[in-house]
Amino acid sequence: MKKLASILAIVFAFTFSTQAQKKRDHKKPQFSVEQQAELMVKKMTLSLDLSNKQQNQIKPLILAKLADKKASMEKRKEARKEKKRPTSDEVFAEKSKMLDNQIAMKNSMKEILSKEQFVKFEKIHKKRSMKGKKMAKNKEKGRKGSKRRMKDNK
């Protein structure tokens, strides 16, 4: 009888803990492109001490960048729904376009910001890109490991 009671207690505890975890919703709120741009400009203002003139010059650049990013993401979502894989030429064109946009953004920022601000901007940008690369590397490790485990189980 004691064993049955303890087993039931464990089952209930396990059930309640899994139900509590299911209820959590960790999705970030979806902001419009304009809202995202506004937040990015404010963050940049705080970190780089931007003037009003600089803020007004940077905002259209960020709006264009975010709109392009959103359009690319929608295009990838549609392709994923259709289970269509991009060809190597399409991947090359997309990456080339992305790099061209980064070069243009960097040149624009160099014109708008002072030398000290630009150095700080580059430092922040480099730190952010290294963090993204590290996360992508860890994500890739997880994928490889899961495939390997699946092969071992067969």
Side-chain angles (χ1 to χ4, degrees):
M1 188 68 176
K2 286 184 179 180
K3 288 182 182 179
L4 182 63
S6 62
I7 290 172
L8 283 174
I10 291 171
V11 168
F12 281 123
F14 182 73
T15 304
F16 288 128
S17 67
T18 56
Q19 292 299 322
Q21 289 175 358
K22 286 181 184 177
K23 289 180 184 176
R24 292 183 191 157
D25 194 14
H26 296 293
K27 290 186 179 179
K28 291 182 181 179
Q30 297 296 317
F31 295 118
S32 70
V33 173
E34 291 81 17
Q35 290 172 326
Q36 288 175 342
E38 184 73 30
L39 292 175
M40 285 181 73
V41 169
K42 286 183 179 185
K43 285 181 183 179
M44 288 177 74
T45 301
L46 288 173
S47 63
L48 300 175
D49 195 31
L50 299 177
S51 67
N52 285 336
K53 181 182 176 187
Q54 289 173 323
Q55 289 177 34
N56 293 334
Q57 290 174 322
I58 290 174
K59 191 170 182 176
L61 296 173
I62 292 176
L63 274 170
K65 178 182 171 184
L66 290 173
D68 189 44
K69 184 177 177 182
K70 189 170 185 172
S72 296
M73 193 166 52
E74 292 296 325
K75 185 179 173 185
R76 285 194 308 270
K77 275 185 182 180
E78 284 297 318
R80 198 176 313 135
K81 281 182 183 178
E82 296 170 7
K83 298 187 182 200
K84 181 183 171 191
R85 306 266 316 166
T87 64
S88 61
D89 290 336
E90 291 171 339
V91 172
F92 174 78
E94 189 69 29
K95 287 190 182 224
S96 179
K97 180 182 171 191
M98 182 184 69
L99 291 171
D100 289 340
N101 289 342
Q102 286 179 357
I103 292 168
M105 180 70 161
K106 186 175 182 176
N107 290 335
S108 299
M109 293 302 282
K110 193 180 272 189
E111 291 174 9
I112 296 169
L113 301 176
S114 68
K115 286 187 178 186
E116 299 84 26
Q117 289 173 325
F118 186 72
V119 169
K120 194 169 183 180
F121 171 76
E122 284 291 301
K123 188 176 179 182
I124 292 168
H125 184 70
K126 188 173 185 177
K127 187 186 287 187
R128 197 171 281 154
S129 69
M130 292 300 287
K131 185 178 178 183
K133 287 178 183 176
K134 188 183 262 187
M135 287 175 60
K137 191 175 182 181
N138 288 339
K139 189 175 181 181
E140 188 64 30
K141 280 183 182 178
R143 286 183 184 165
K144 287 180 182 176
S146 63
K147 287 180 182 178
R148 202 176 301 129
R149 278 186 235 117
M150 287 175 63
K151 288 179 183 177
D152 292 341
N153 289 340
K154 286 184 179 178

